[in-house]
């Protein structure tokens, strides 16, 4: 069985490598996501990726993901801190998701300490830099394994 995973990146994450290099990894997004997709997990995975700077496009992609993926890994960028519309899309998607931030948002400005989606995520990873997406997938596989076991009972 191959787990279907969708990594979603929001506004400005396409600027990684150029953007605030003292805060964010210096590698481009494609390389970071590529490493997460190619990592040898304990289960086979198929990882798709979508990045957009537009809230509506992110919502459309999350709506399309309903029933099509086992797991979402979401770095919504600044939208994390205020987009109720994105929260609603994630709720409607009914697919477990990890909230991911490359930087440690809790060591930054107070407005970044607030997330409108953390309480509905199965985990939050913040400050793990380039390894963040890989760690989220490892945690997601663990969660899904537990769910499969419970179903079998
Ligand atoms: C971010 C943190 C957000 O506060 C910020 O707006 C981003 C990136 C991160 O990955 O650390 O764009 O989500």
């Amino acid at each position: 069985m191959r787990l279907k995973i969708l990594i979603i990146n929001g506004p400005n994450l396409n600027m990684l490598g150029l953007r605030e290099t003292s805060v964010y990894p210096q590698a481009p997004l494609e390389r970071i996501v590529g490493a997460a997709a190619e990592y040898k997990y304990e289960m086979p995975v198929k990882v798709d990726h979508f990045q957009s700077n537009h809230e509506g496009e992110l919502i459309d992609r999350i709506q399309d993901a309903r029933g099509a993926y086992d797991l979402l890994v979401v770095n919504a960028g600044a939208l994390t801190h205020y987009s109720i519309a994105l929260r609603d899309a994630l709720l409607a998607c009914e697919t477990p998701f990890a909230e991911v931030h490359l930087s440690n948002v809790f060591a930054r400005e107070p407005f970044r300490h607030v997330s409108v989606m953390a309480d509905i995520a199965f985990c939050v990873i913040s400050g793990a830099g380039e390894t963040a997406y890989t760690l989220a997938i490892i945690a997601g596989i663990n969660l899904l394994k537990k769910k499969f076991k419970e179903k079998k009972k």
Side-chain angles (χ1 to χ4, degrees), residues 11 13 19 24 75 77-78 81 100-103 105 108 112:
L13 286 150
R19 173 186 187 201
Y24 297 112
N75 184 350
H81 312 302
V100 165
H101 303 287
L102 301 163
S103 66
V105 287
R108 301 180 64 192
R112 294 186 206 275

Side-chain angles (χ1 to χ4, degrees), residues 68-103:
Y69 289 92
D70 299 299
L71 186 77
L72 306 186
V73 174
V74 180
N75 184 350
L79 293 170
T80 307
H81 312 302
Y82 64 87
S83 175
I84 309 295
L86 214 53
R87 176 194 170 89
D88 286 348
L90 288 162
L91 279 171
C93 187
E94 292 180 353
T95 305
F97 78 95
E99 175 183 322
V100 165
H101 303 287
L102 301 163
S103 66

Side-chain angles (χ1 to χ4, degrees), residues 131-151:
T131 61
Y133 301 99
T134 307
L135 292 175
I137 294 174
I138 292 171
I141 290 173
N142 212 36
L143 173 88
L144 293 171
K145 266 178 31 193
K146 268 193 216 150
K147 280 196 176 171
F148 294 148
K149 266 190 201 156
E150 274 163 25
K151 259 194 189 170

